Structure formats: structure tokens, C-alpha cells
């Protein structure tokens, strides 16, 4: 008995010492865990919880309805229009934005005199807020004093109601969004280009490879991790676009620009239907999650890591 009693404390002490690293890691992670819990995990689980309830005007759960909020959404013509507008918006903005940013980065990566000025200009949109950019585009799209209609008038073409015509409103929002996001994509791609080893290009030139061959066989494969990152971030940002829609069109005309995020805002803070707004938010979260998983499953296979 004395031997058993004497052997117990050392075992407990050993377990305590063995968990020292885990306890130290938890101590360092505690601030992050606390912040994520308050600003991400709690709102996320609260949103999922509210999506199964009808709520009062203060957002408190009033009546459990199960999946009826989701059923209502998919039977709603407005919500189906929001899905269609969001998908079109993603298709308009992501490929076009990445291609333009890559083109500008390739130009800015050349060793030309004064290229630093153009690098600053190309990346300048990154330093302008969405609100300020939207006000600028509001004037550019103006039907009578806007620059675009003036250019059309110079070419003897009829003016376009950029933000008032349902056929043009989503295109107009997409153009402004591409311009706003292009600075960030440009900077990241330029950094990726400048990290490619010059030795590869010198070897290719010695072998007689032309510019397009180098672009196809060296630049794009070596830049593929950066391109993968930019495409993933652009997809997620496109699904979450809100500011320019609120300032330029407020979801109109005829709900042509009523993207899902703006639809969530209207449902929650205009119609005070927090239950259906939460259901929309959960649906959007699942969409982004699926797109991101597909991007990693399909896109990452073509990424070349050095």
C-alpha cells in the first residue's frame, strides 16, 4: 500500500510536465481564440440558430419554424434573382479582373525607364476606399455629365443609362468593382513575377526561346501559386460585394444588382426579417465554402510549387 501511494504523485507530475507544451500553446493562442470566438464563432452559430426561427424586430427568436425559412427562400423569385445576379457578377468580375491585373503586372515587370510611375498608378486603386471610389464612378456613369456618355456622343453613339437600365446596371457595377480590386491583384502578381528566378529566363534565351514561349512555359507555371491565391481571394470577395451596390444602385433597377449580400442587408435591416436573412447568410456561407473547396480540389492540381 505504501509503495502504491508513493508511486501515484510522480505519475500525475509526469502528465503535468508532458502537457507543458500544449498548455504553453493554448496560452499563446488564447487571445486569438477569444477574438475568433467573439467576432466569428458566436455570430456564425447565432446566425445558424436564427435561420430556424421567426424573429421579432429586435432580432430575438420568437417562433421555431425549422427549415421553413429555407423553403421560403428557394420559392422566392426575388432570392432566385439574387442568386442569378451574384453568379453573373462573379463571372463578370473574377476572370476579367485577374486577366487585366496579370497583363498590367507583366508590363510593369519589364525593366523600362519610368516604370515605377506606372507601378504606382496601377496599384493606386488599392489605397482608395470603396465609398470614395463609388462616388467617382457615380459621376462617371451619370447619363448627362458622365465621361462614358460623353465619349459615346463624340462617336455619334446613343447614350446609355448605365445605372438605370437593368441590362447595363450589373455590367456597370462589375466594371467599377474590377477597377477597385485591380490594385491589390496587380501588386500581388507583380511580387510573384519578381520572385521568379532570372536564371530560368537566361537559360531559355540561350536556347532561343521567344517571349510567348517563356510566358507559357516559365512565367505562368512559376506564377501559378500566386495566381491560385488571387483567384481564390477574388472569388470570395466577389461573393461578398456590398459597398458599391449600396452606393451606386441600391440593388436596382428591377433588382438587377440585388446581390445576395445586399439582399441579406435589406431583409435584416429594412424588412426586419432576421430569420430569412440568417437563412440567406447560411446559404451564402455554404456557396463560398463549396466554391473554395472546389477551387482547392481542382485548381491546386495545376499549381506548380518550386
Amino acid at each position: 500500500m505504501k509503495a502504491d501511494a508513493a508511486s501515484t504523485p510522480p505519475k500525475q507530475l509526469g502528465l503535468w510536465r508532458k502537457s507543458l507544451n500544449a498548455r504553453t500553446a493554448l496560452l499563446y493562442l488564447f487571445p486569438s481564440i477569444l477574438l475568433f470566438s467573439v467576432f466569428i464563432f458566436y455570430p456564425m452559430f447565432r446566425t445558424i440558430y436564427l435561420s430556424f426561427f421567426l424573429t421579432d424586430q429586435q432580432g430575438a427568436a420568437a417562433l421555431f419554424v425549422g427549415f421553413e425559412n429555407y423553403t421560403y427562400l428557394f420559392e422566392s423569385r426575388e432570392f432566385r434573382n439574387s442568386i442569378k445576379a451574384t453568379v453573373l457578377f462573379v463571372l463578370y468580375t473574377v476572370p476579367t479582373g485577374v486577366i487585366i491585373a496579370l497583363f498590367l503586372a507583366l508590363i510593369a515587370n519589364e525593366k523600362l525607364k519610368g516604370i515605377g510611375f506606372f507601378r504606382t498608378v496601377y496599384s493606386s486603386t488599392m489605397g482608395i476606399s470603396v465609398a470614395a471610389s463609388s462616388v467617382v464612378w457615380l459621376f462617371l456613369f451619370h447619363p448627362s455629365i458622365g465621361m462614358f456618355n460623353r465619349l459615346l456622343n463624340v462617336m455619334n453613339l446613343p447614350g446609355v443609362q448605365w445605372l438605370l437600365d437593368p441590362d447595363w446596371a450589373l455590367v456597370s457595377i462589375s466594371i467599377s468593382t474590377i477597377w477597385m480590386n485591380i490594385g491589390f491583384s496587380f501588386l500581388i502578381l507583380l511580387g510573384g513575377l519578381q520572385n521568379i528566378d532570372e536564371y530560368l529566363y537566361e537559360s531559355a534565351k540561350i536556347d532561343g526561346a521567344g517571349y510567348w514561349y517563356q510566358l507559357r512555359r516559365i512565367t505562368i507555371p512559376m506564377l501559378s501559386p500566386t495566381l491560385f491565391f488571387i483567384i481564390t481571394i477574388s472569388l470570395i470577395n466577389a461573393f461578398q460585394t456590398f459597398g458599391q451596390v449600396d452606393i451606386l444602385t441600391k440593388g436596382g433597377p428591377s433588382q438587377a444588382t440585388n446581390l445576395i449580400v445586399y439582399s441579406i442587408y435589406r431583409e435584416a435591416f429594412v424588412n426586419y426579417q432576421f430569420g430569412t436573412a440568417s437563412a440567406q447568410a447560411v446559404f451564402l456561407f455554404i456557396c463560398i465554402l463549396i466554391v473554395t473547396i472546389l477551387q482547392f480540389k481542382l485548381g491546386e492540381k495545376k499549381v506548380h510549387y518550386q
Side-chain angles (χ1 to χ4, degrees):
M1 292 295 290
K2 287 183 179 179
D4 292 341
S7 62
T8 303
K11 283 185 179 176
Q12 291 177 347
L13 188 62
L15 182 63
W16 178 256
R17 284 181 177 173
K18 285 179 181 177
S19 64
L20 177 63
N21 289 338
R23 285 184 282 111
T24 306
L26 282 174
L27 184 64
Y28 281 109
L29 286 173
F30 179 73
S32 301
I33 292 172
L34 182 64
L35 285 175
F36 281 132
S37 299
V38 172
F39 294 107
I40 295 180
F41 298 136
Y42 172 73
M44 186 173 72
F45 288 115
R46 179 71 177 171
T47 301
I48 295 172
Y49 170 76
L50 287 178
S51 70
F52 297 109
F53 285 85
L54 289 179
T55 60
D56 58 22
Q57 288 199 345
Q58 283 72 40
L63 177 66
F64 179 76
V65 293
F67 287 94
E68 283 187 22
N69 284 333
Y70 293 93
T71 307
Y72 167 77
L73 284 181
F74 289 108
E75 290 176 350
S76 166
R77 186 178 177 183
E78 291 183 4
F79 186 65
R80 291 200 300 271
N81 285 337
S82 294
I83 296 173
K84 180 183 174 184
T86 305
V87 171
L88 288 174
F89 178 77
V90 171
L91 292 176
Y92 290 164
T93 55
V94 175
T96 312
V98 172
I99 290 171
I100 293 175
L102 177 61
F103 175 72
L104 295 177
L106 288 170
I107 294 174
N109 193 43
E110 296 294 325
K111 295 175 182 175
L112 302 174
K113 189 176 181 182
I115 198 66
F117 170 76
F118 291 98
R119 288 175 182 172
T120 305
V121 172
Y122 295 155
S123 58
S124 61
T125 60
M126 194 177 147
I128 305 175
S129 69
V130 172
S133 302
S134 299
V135 171
V136 172
W137 282 96
L138 196 61
F139 283 104
L140 293 174
F141 286 133
H142 195 281
S144 57
I145 63 172
M147 185 188 73
F148 294 122
N149 274 359
R150 285 178 179 269
L151 289 175
L152 292 175
N153 291 335
V154 169
M155 294 184 284
N156 291 323
L157 294 172
V160 175
Q161 299 288 334
W162 297 97
L163 299 175
L164 301 176
D165 187 339
D167 294 331
W168 283 98
L170 189 61
V171 174
S172 304
I173 294 288
S174 301
I175 293 171
S176 62
T177 302
I178 290 169
W179 183 84
M180 291 175 197
N181 295 339
I182 213 162
F184 174 76
S185 302
F186 164 78
L187 271 183
I188 299 296
L189 289 172
L190 181 62
L193 286 172
Q194 293 183 342
N195 280 332
I196 298 176
D197 195 342
E198 284 292 327
Y199 174 76
L200 297 172
Y201 292 109
E202 291 171 5
S203 300
K205 286 176 184 175
I206 292 171
D207 293 338
Y211 176 81
W212 295 109
Y213 185 87
Q214 293 179 40
L215 179 67
R216 191 160 50 90
R217 295 292 186 181
I218 299 174
T219 305
I220 299 299
M222 301 303 289
L223 195 63
S224 56
T226 312
L227 279 170
F228 177 74
F229 170 77
I230 285 295
I231 292 171
T232 304
I233 293 295
S234 299
L235 277 170
I236 294 171
N237 286 341
F239 275 107
Q240 296 177 338
T241 298
F242 174 78
Q244 52 269 48
V245 175
D246 185 44
I247 294 172
L248 293 176
T249 61
K250 297 195 179 302
S254 302
Q255 299 194 356
T257 60
N258 190 27
L259 306 184
I260 292 180
V261 173
Y262 193 76
S263 176
I264 294 170
Y265 161 74
R266 290 182 60 179
E267 197 72 3
F269 301 107
V270 178
N271 300 328
Y272 297 105
Q273 298 293 330
F274 292 94
T276 49
S278 299
Q280 291 187 38
V282 172
F283 174 79
L284 179 62
F285 169 73
I286 293 171
C287 287
I288 294 175
L289 183 66
I290 291 172
V291 169
T292 306
I293 291 172
L294 288 176
Q295 173 72 4
F296 273 87
K297 288 286 183 186
L298 303 177
E300 200 172 24
K301 292 179 182 176
K302 299 179 180 178
V303 174
H304 175 80
Y305 293 104
Q306 293 186 47

